[in-house]
Amino acid sequence: MTGMAILEVKDLSRHFGGLAAVNHVSVDVEDGEILGLIGPNGAGKSTMLNLIDGTLKVSSGTIAFRGHNITRYPPHRRAHLGIARVFQKNALFKGMTVLENVMAGSYLLTRHGPWGMIGHTYERVRRQPETLKHCMDLLEFVGLEDRTHELCVSLPHGSQRELCVAVALASDPALLLLDEPLTGMNAEETDSMIRIIKEVNATRGTTIIVVEHNVRAVLGLCARSVVLNYGQKLTEGTPRQCVADPAVIEAYLGTDHDVA
Amino acid sequence: MSKRGGIKTAIWVAILLIVVFMPQILRGNAYWITVIALLAINVLLVSSLRSITLINEISLGQVGFVVIGAYVHATLMMKGHVNFWASLIISALVAAFIALILAYPFLKVRGIYFSILTLLTAETFRLVAYYWTSMTGGSLGLTGVPGPGKVHIAGALVDFNKPGNYYYIAIGIVVIALLILYYLERAYISFPWRAIKDDNTLAGAVGINVIGYKMVNFVIAAFMAGLSGAVFASFQHNLSPDSTSRFGVTMSIYLLVYMVVGGKDYFVGPLLGTAVLTLLAEETRFMQEYQPMIIGAIAILVMIFMPMGLVGLPRQIKSSWRTRKLTTLAAAEDARRPATAAAGEATAVGAGAPATAPPAAAPSEKTGQG
Ligand SMILES: Nc1ncnc2c1ncn2[C@@H]1O[C@H](COP(=O)(O)OP(=O)(O)OP(=O)(O)O)[C@@H](O)[C@H]1O
Ligand SMILES: [Mg+2]
């Protein structure tokens, strides 16, 4: 509780018709931490990330990032401020190669003014040594340096997931939102992804919010976690405290009433 | 690679030469010169439609910007006596400006909703031209739209109002406009367009101003459509806002068919599609009433059997040939196998199994625990 908050979410709500997918949630995220966001299916975790990165508009409440009130910012402006996102489903630029995906991810570093966007050819920007190096370093970091010129859709699921992370990291974000990065991965891929997440946090100082069902991974990764249930914040604390909390156990396993 | 590039260049030079000397080849045959000039104008229009597909949207409203370009140009020249070239540019800019106003709400929606909005807008513009009689001549049409008039060139007085001479102006403008579109597709701006085409949401998440880039694309396309309308107005000399005219909904559908038949993934798709279908329509003029049916049938056949269009045909044939070769190879392999097999089979399985099985089994174990 000592660090400075990089992200302050206050009283955030989002309704879909009558359903409150996120219901008056307040969370402070400290600069440099890895925060776990956990909860049963449909708890509102993805919705929460969508509100933070601007993919969805909030119904009420405010979001502040590094002192800016970004509640009404469109997604690209939040990206400019340093928020990056990995979606729950593998979201990649399907028509592009692995390398091109990372280049698109580094758009914010390679973009030009209006005249530059028209004055430079794509070919030229693509061949700029700094850009290439930046992208290749990232691909090496996630272990995809041998597959740079393959179409991204031809990669197996686990590698696509790693590519998603590389794309998100390509803009050098200050806050990384990871939506279930380990889903569908085998043991080896899981370990490698956990290593990647830890290293990003340790060496780049990137603050990370990670939504994950794999409890062991959450215990290993996060110093602090927030539990959501039916859109509301159930509890908050170290992951160990959270999973031991009777309310959390009830939310995951259901009460006798629910089972019957 | 460079050999193929050489062949490509040769083809382009040949096409350009044929187009430039078309009036000589046709010996001044006014009818065919008209057909070719209109064809060129349509190629620009279809290319403007295709340029919107770069952001993964289908516009059914390019004709609406043609209406604006044509009538603004006609009005400027007839009532304002503005210089032909200035009027041409202003008309295209007006079309682009109107597109800019519409772009934000239009591009906030996607897919079929965008298409419907553009279609209705185009029809609205046509109806404005139809009912604003004092300005546009209404249903009677507007006659006497001038061309650039007589110009001194190398001592001779050339009348550019004549189709045979105006032909060069039309072709020249179309070629320049196409070169601009071609360049834009290679400029860096095409990269965010591609990203948006592949995944809107992810494009926004990596910092691309999705709506902004889409608006730029839409406005450029409207400029080109408006330009084609202005060039058309001075060529045809009269404009009619009839629903059966080139400003009607049918035309929008035709443009779409031209693009798809040519191949929407290729820059030359609009050129080939428009050329083939226009010339086909000319050849089947004697059964004009069946033409929509013929065009429709062709469109359906192309969509089913040549999803990449005419330009994509060589590649399609090559890839289907390759898969056939692979399947025959596989079949031959299968046929060979029982005879030679036991040893080979065993090693193949022996090598394959340990490598593939554990990773395949692991995820289910993992999710079972987690
Ligand atoms: N676009 C939407 N329209 C309507 N309802 C939605 C929408 N997105 C999410 N919901 C609903 O909001 C609730 C929360 O969904 P959300 O995707 O945030 O859950 P989650 O915690 O990410 O679950 P999971 O672990 O399954 O990914 C669910 O009941 C879901 O059906
Ligand atoms: Mg989710």
Side-chain angles (χ1 to χ4, degrees):
Chain A
M1 301 290 116
T2 47
M4 207 189 74
I6 188 171
L7 183 80
E8 293 164 71
V9 173
K10 280 210 183 70
D11 208 22
L12 198 65
S13 297
R14 167 70 204 211
H15 303 278
F16 293 111
L19 174 81
V22 169
N23 200 357
H24 298 290
V25 175
S26 299
V27 179
D28 279 359
V29 183
E30 278 166 43
D31 201 355
E33 77 169 330
I34 303 183
L35 176 74
L37 192 57
I38 54 183
N41 288 108
K45 306 179 295 293
S46 296
T47 306
M48 190 76 191
L49 295 194
N50 285 337
L51 295 173
I52 295 172
D53 90 333
T55 311
L56 280 174
K57 291 205 162 64
V58 307
S59 299
S60 67
T62 60
I63 307 168
F65 179 68
R66 287 175 152 175
H68 301 265
N69 181 354
I70 59 167
T71 316
R72 311 243 163 262
Y73 279 23
H76 70 270
R77 287 191 64 195
R78 303 188 195 206
H80 293 191
L81 288 177
I83 299 179
R85 169 78 186 269
V86 171
F87 291 91
Q88 184 166 355
K89 293 204 183 94
N90 282 346
L92 289 167
F93 300 110
K94 292 179 285 296
M96 296 187 187
T97 64
V98 170
L99 180 60
E100 281 176 321
N101 265 279
V102 183
M103 290 224 165
S106 52
Y107 164 81
L108 286 177
L109 308 181
T110 59
R111 80 192 158 129
H112 295 73
W115 296 117
M117 293 305 296
I118 292 173
H120 298 283
T121 62
Y122 166 56
E123 206 53 35
R124 180 173 149 190
V125 176
R126 199 167 88 114
R127 287 177 192 286
Q128 266 163 7
E130 321 88 83
T131 315
L132 260 175
K133 182 171 184 318
H134 174 74
C135 296
M136 286 309 296
D137 285 351
L138 272 168
L139 285 173
E140 206 167 312
F141 177 58
V142 300
L144 289 172
E145 70 275 17
D146 297 333
R147 317 197 66 165
T148 40
H149 296 295
E150 284 176 52
L151 269 183
C152 65
V153 285
S154 69
L155 296 180
H157 170 82
S159 305
Q160 287 196 22
R161 211 86 196 104
E162 285 162 354
L163 182 56
C164 289
V165 174
V167 170
L169 288 176
S171 58
D172 290 341
L175 173 64
L176 179 62
L177 310 173
L178 295 172
D179 202 345
E180 305 198 12
L182 304 175
T183 309
M185 286 194 156
N186 64 36
E188 198 182 321
E189 290 167 332
T190 303
D191 288 345
S192 135
M193 182 60 87
I194 290 177
R195 177 191 61 80
I196 289 171
I197 296 170
K198 278 186 171 158
E199 202 169 323
V200 167
N201 177 256
T203 61
R204 298 166 183 247
T206 312
T207 310
I208 298 174
I209 302 180
V210 54
V211 170
E212 191 45 64
H213 281 296
N214 184 330
V215 174
R216 253 197 292 149
V218 174
L219 290 174
L221 274 174
C222 318
R224 205 162 68 88
S225 60
V226 169
V227 185
L228 288 183
N229 190 31
Y230 291 116
Q232 280 170 319
K233 186 160 94 175
L234 208 57
T235 173
E236 182 177 349
T238 69
R240 225 160 269 289
Q241 286 167 346
C242 286
V243 294
D245 190 321
V248 175
I249 294 169
E250 185 181 308
Y252 267 94
L253 301 177
T255 58
D256 292 346
H257 177 77
D258 276 340
V259 175
Chain B
M1 190 68 192
S2 74
K3 191 179 154 201
R4 271 191 60 189
I7 293 173
K8 247 185 187 169
T9 323
I11 291 176
W12 280 114
V13 171
I15 290 177
L16 205 65
L17 284 177
I18 292 173
V19 167
V20 167
F21 290 108
M22 193 57 89
Q24 278 74 31
I25 296 169
L26 297 170
R27 295 211 187 76
N29 181 331
Y31 179 78
W32 275 98
I33 288 175
T34 306
V35 170
I36 307 280
L38 287 180
L39 196 162
I41 293 171
N42 282 347
V43 169
L44 175 56
L45 189 48
V46 179
S47 294
S48 83
L49 170 63
R50 182 184 161 282
S51 91
I52 300 179
T53 65
L54 297 181
I55 53 165
N56 209 18
E57 298 294 352
I58 302 281
S59 164
L60 293 175
Q62 289 312 91
V63 161
F65 300 112
V66 177
V67 172
I68 292 169
Y71 277 94
V72 170
H73 178 68
T75 311
L76 284 176
M77 289 209 67
M78 293 169 77
K79 300 203 168 138
H81 304 289
V82 177
N83 168 279
F84 170 81
W85 298 100
S87 167
L88 211 62
I89 300 294
I90 296 171
S91 327
L93 285 176
V94 170
F97 180 72
I98 290 176
L100 181 65
I101 296 170
L102 298 174
Y104 190 81
F106 277 30
L107 291 163
K108 271 287 174 188
V109 297
R110 278 155 59 185
I112 188 72
Y113 303 100
F114 171 80
S115 301
I116 291 172
L117 276 179
T118 51
L119 181 73
L120 293 179
T121 313
E123 196 57 4
T124 308
F125 290 160
R126 184 183 71 77
L127 289 173
V128 168
Y130 194 87
Y131 288 110
W132 195 1
T133 315
S134 61
M135 200 66 178
T136 63
S139 57
L140 292 175
L142 199 62
T143 52
V145 183
K150 298 187 174 69
V151 179
H152 284 282
I153 293 179
L157 196 62
V158 184
D159 182 3
F160 276 107
N161 285 356
K162 282 192 184 150
N165 294 329
Y166 187 77
Y167 172 89
Y168 290 105
I169 290 185
I171 296 289
I173 293 169
V174 168
V175 168
I176 292 170
L178 288 179
L179 285 176
I180 293 173
L181 286 176
Y182 184 80
Y183 173 75
L184 282 174
E185 226 171 301
R186 263 133 207 89
Y188 188 38
I189 194 171
S190 68
F191 191 51
W193 285 342
R194 254 178 87 196
I196 290 166
K197 175 179 184 164
D198 281 348
D199 194 318
N200 245 278
T201 315
L202 183 59
V206 300
I208 294 169
N209 182 348
V210 174
I211 190 83
Y213 277 106
K214 280 180 163 185
M215 284 170 71
V216 170
N217 178 294
F218 186 63
V219 167
I220 291 173
F223 179 91
M224 294 303 176
L227 186 66
S228 86
V231 174
F232 170 80
S234 274
F235 182 73
Q236 199 77 348
H237 300 307
N238 46 56
L239 301 173
S240 150
D242 240 34
S243 64
T244 54
S245 74
R246 64 164 19 233
F247 301 137
V249 173
T250 333
M251 187 67 185
S252 296
I253 306 295
Y254 273 109
L255 297 177
L256 198 62
V257 171
Y258 292 162
M259 178 180 79
V260 173
V261 168
K264 75 173 173 56
D265 296 334
Y266 302 92
F267 189 82
V268 288
L271 195 146
L272 199 67
T274 312
V276 166
L277 290 181
T278 308
L279 297 179
L280 190 82
E282 287 303 324
E283 291 306 323
T284 56
R285 198 156 267 282
F286 60 92
M287 40 187 203
Q288 204 163 9
E289 57 272 42
Y290 297 112
Q291 268 179 9
M293 263 166 68
I294 297 172
I295 300 280
I298 291 175
I300 291 168
L301 289 176
V302 165
M303 279 188 253
I304 294 174
F305 295 108
M306 299 193 263
M308 295 197 278
L310 290 172
V311 184
L313 199 56
R315 187 191 270 192
Q316 192 187 340
I317 290 171
K318 212 186 280 174
S319 81
S320 83
W321 186 71
R322 196 178 300 145
T323 42
R324 189 165 316 152
K325 206 166 96 180
L326 282 179
T327 42
T328 41
L329 270 179
E333 188 81 352
D334 282 349
R336 200 170 51 85
R337 196 162 270 181
T340 49
E345 190 91 44
T347 51
V349 169
T356 54
S364 52
E365 262 169 39
K366 198 78 203 170
T367 39
Q369 289 166 3

